[in-house]
Amino acid sequence: MAFELPPLPYAEDALEPDYSARTISFHYGKHHKTYVETLNKLVAGTDLEGKSLEEVIMAVAGKPDKQPVFNNAAQVWNHTFFWKSMKPGGGGQPAGELAEKIAAAFGGWDMEAADFGGHKFVEDFKAAAAGRFGSGWVWLVLDNGELKIVSTPNAEMPAAPGVTPLLVVDVWEHAYYLDYQNLRPAYVQVFFDKLVDWDFVAANLANAK
Ligand code: MN3
């Protein structure tokens, strides 16, 4: 029972022009697919074969001799979560409990929120993305009841007790270079303006309780 590349939740051109079909054809069709294929080769014939993706990740996390397995398994999981974090016609501010929790944790959503002395969610998220040197991921997580923005290097994911990922933005260069070149913060801005699927985030928040 080999791992399979999960289907994209939408057509490859569904996020045009904000996230191009060309980017998705490489990012999903080459990068994500290759992580799946490499993972299958690495676990074949080992005691990890037949385990679920989550079981494999938990079994090898923190084990230096299993780093290649962790890297590929975690990249499969992270990318599947990333595709679900976007949708055609997405973007804009969330409503309901998410909006309240974002206001409580970050002081608000946009520039006007600065007038109240708070942080601003999208600005904080862009700063976390810009501050991640090299490859990695920026996450919105529920950390023991409180929303936090965290970034992880390479294939790592937030995995502390009481921490649940709600949303992720891939900040590896392959995620945005064709559409945004070196402008990582501009890509993150468009992610929140046009792409983010708050319904997915709200469902993750509900499941986390
Ligand atoms: Mn990627």
Side-chain angles (χ1 to χ4, degrees), residues 20-189:
S20 69
R22 181 166 157 75
T23 289
I24 291 189
S25 74
F26 282 101
H27 196 185
Y28 171 75
K30 305 284 187 200
H31 290 278
H32 195 176
K33 180 166 178 276
T34 299
Y35 293 127
V36 172
E37 292 170 351
T38 304
L39 176 62
N40 282 327
K41 287 178 192 159
L42 289 170
V43 303
T46 75
D47 59 359
L48 295 170
E49 191 170 12
K51 291 188 187 299
S52 73
L53 186 61
E54 288 79 6
E55 287 170 338
V56 169
I57 290 169
M58 282 191 284
V60 300
K63 296 183 178 169
D65 61 320
K66 301 286 189 187
Q67 190 72 46
V69 179
F70 175 83
N71 286 343
N72 285 279
Q75 285 294 79
V76 172
W77 195 94
N78 293 349
H79 281 91
T80 301
F81 200 75
F82 173 62
W83 300 125
K84 291 179 180 173
S85 295
M86 301 187 285
K87 69 175 180 182
Q93 297 188 35
E97 186 185 3
L98 264 174
E100 291 166 17
K101 288 185 92 69
I102 284 175
F106 307 104
W109 177 262
D110 52 19
M111 299 304 286
E112 294 87 75
D115 297 338
F116 300 96
H119 299 291
K120 306 170 296 298
F121 172 71
V122 176
E123 296 301 317
D124 284 4
F125 208 100
K126 287 196 297 191
R132 167 51 52 198
F133 187 80
S135 296
W137 301 83
V138 185
W139 309 77
L140 178 66
V141 302
L142 187 68
D143 182 344
N144 294 288
E146 191 182 336
L147 294 189
K148 289 183 180 169
I149 294 167
V150 297
S151 83
T152 56
N154 302 315
E156 300 283 335
M157 56 181 65
V163 176
T164 305
L166 303 179
L167 155 74
V168 75
V169 178
D170 189 340
V171 297
W172 286 57
E173 280 192 346
H174 69 227
Y176 59 87
Y177 210 85
L178 291 175
D179 293 327
Y180 299 94
Q181 293 73 52
N182 62 324
L183 303 177
R184 188 186 283 182
Y187 152 65
V188 173
Q189 183 72 52

Side-chain angles (χ1 to χ4, degrees), residues 184-208:
R184 188 186 283 182
Y187 152 65
V188 173
Q189 183 72 52
V190 171
F191 179 92
F192 284 107
D193 286 345
K194 301 290 183 68
L195 298 170
V196 60
D197 182 357
W198 288 117
D199 293 335
F200 175 67
V201 182
N204 291 331
L205 178 63
N207 290 336

